[in-house]
């Protein structure tokens, strides 16, 4: 056997063995940006769809254009305690099943009108533990999405321009010379 070809084969074999652990195809990977929330890409996509239903972008910019899903996840990751984070994740993970059982269709399969109606009905539901978890998840998502929208650069510059204090003074008396 040639020594040079043996060394090439050994190098290829070693490289292959080193790369095998990186090739894990078993589960969907968890997004690393949110260290306390163990959220997957498909769960983030579902959250994006929910936020798109809240801020569709018909007249103003949409929620995705302002990166509201990332804002909601960062706020949940940084500002909620462990029990609130767990409740948020439970609501997010059970939202498709909840939609199917209460509205007849999974949320990702609904059209815009059905999705909007399902969110409205969920916010006024009372009763079982499942409805409470869904209502808590939707209200937390809505609260953080609205906060992100109102504090976005787009809103602060184009919709409601910010003026420094003391802003303008509109006097109502005319001063005449005496």
């Amino acid at each position: 056997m040639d020594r040079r070809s043996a060394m090439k084969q050994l190098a290829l074999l070693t490289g292959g063995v080193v790369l095998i652990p990186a090739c894990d195809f078993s589960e969907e990977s968890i997004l690393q940006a949110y260290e306390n929330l163990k959220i997957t890409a498909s769960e983030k996509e579902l959250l994006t769809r929910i936020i798109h239903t809240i801020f569709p972008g018909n007249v103003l910019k949409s929620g995705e254009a302002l990166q509201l899903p990332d804002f909601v996840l960062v706020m949940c990751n940084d500002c909620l305690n462990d029990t609130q984070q767990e409740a948020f994740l439970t609501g997010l993970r059970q939202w498709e099943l909840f939609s199917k059982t209460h509205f007849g269709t999974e949320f990702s399969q609904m059209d815009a009108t059905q999705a909007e109606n399902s969110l409205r009905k969920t916010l006024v539901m009372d009763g079982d533990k499942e409805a409470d978890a869904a209502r808590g998840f939707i209200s937390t998502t809505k609260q953080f999405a609205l906060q992100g929208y109102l504090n976005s650069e787009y809103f602060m510059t184009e919709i409601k321009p910010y003026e420094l204090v003391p802003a303008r003074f509109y006097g109502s008396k005319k001063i005449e010379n005496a």
Side-chain angles (χ1 to χ4, degrees):
M1 178 175 226
D2 185 21
R3 182 176 170 196
R4 185 172 288 181
S5 67
M7 290 302 284
K8 284 182 187 178
Q9 290 175 355
L10 183 63
L12 287 173
L13 182 66
T14 305
V17 169
V18 168
L19 291 177
I20 285 176
C23 300
D24 184 19
F25 301 111
S26 60
E27 288 186 21
E28 190 174 8
S29 63
I30 294 174
L31 300 176
Q32 297 297 320
Y34 317 106
E35 57 193 39
N36 296 335
L37 299 175
K38 305 297 186 224
I39 193 161
T40 62
S42 63
E43 291 168 345
K44 184 178 177 186
E45 186 177 319
L46 175 63
L47 183 67
T48 302
R49 174 119 164 83
I50 292 169
I51 290 174
H52 179 73
T53 304
I54 297 170
F55 293 104
N58 297 339
V59 177
L60 303 174
K61 278 191 177 180
S62 68
E64 300 97 279
L66 299 177
Q67 299 174 349
L68 292 182
D70 291 323
F71 181 82
V72 169
L73 290 174
V74 166
M75 291 298 288
C76 289
N77 187 56
D78 295 346
C79 300
L80 298 180
N81 62 31
D82 292 339
T83 37
Q84 291 170 328
Q85 286 176 356
E86 193 60 41
F88 179 81
L89 287 174
T90 302
L92 177 60
R93 291 182 179 139
Q94 294 176 353
W95 180 247
E96 289 283 63
L97 179 64
F98 178 82
S99 297
K100 185 166 180 110
T101 57
H102 286 79
F103 306 114
T105 310
E106 289 183 353
F107 189 79
S108 57
Q109 305 300 322
M110 293 181 181
D111 64 359
T113 307
Q114 289 175 322
E116 187 178 325
N117 289 335
S118 69
L119 290 180
R120 280 195 186 126
K121 289 177 183 175
T122 301
L123 287 173
V124 296
M125 273 186 184
D126 271 341
D128 59 349
K129 186 177 179 181
E130 187 178 281
D132 291 341
R135 187 177 67 241
F137 161 67
I138 293 299
S139 54
T140 301
T141 302
K142 184 178 172 186
Q143 172 193 352
F144 286 144
L146 182 61
Q147 181 181 355
Y149 202 92
L150 294 178
N151 291 321
S152 68
E153 180 182 355
Y154 164 73
F155 186 83
M156 293 296 236
T157 57
E158 295 181 29
I159 304 301
K160 187 175 181 182
Y162 177 75
E163 291 186 16
L164 292 172
V165 175
R168 295 192 174 119
F169 175 73
Y170 299 106
S172 60
K173 301 237 178 197
K174 187 175 181 181
I175 299 175
E176 297 179 6
N177 292 336

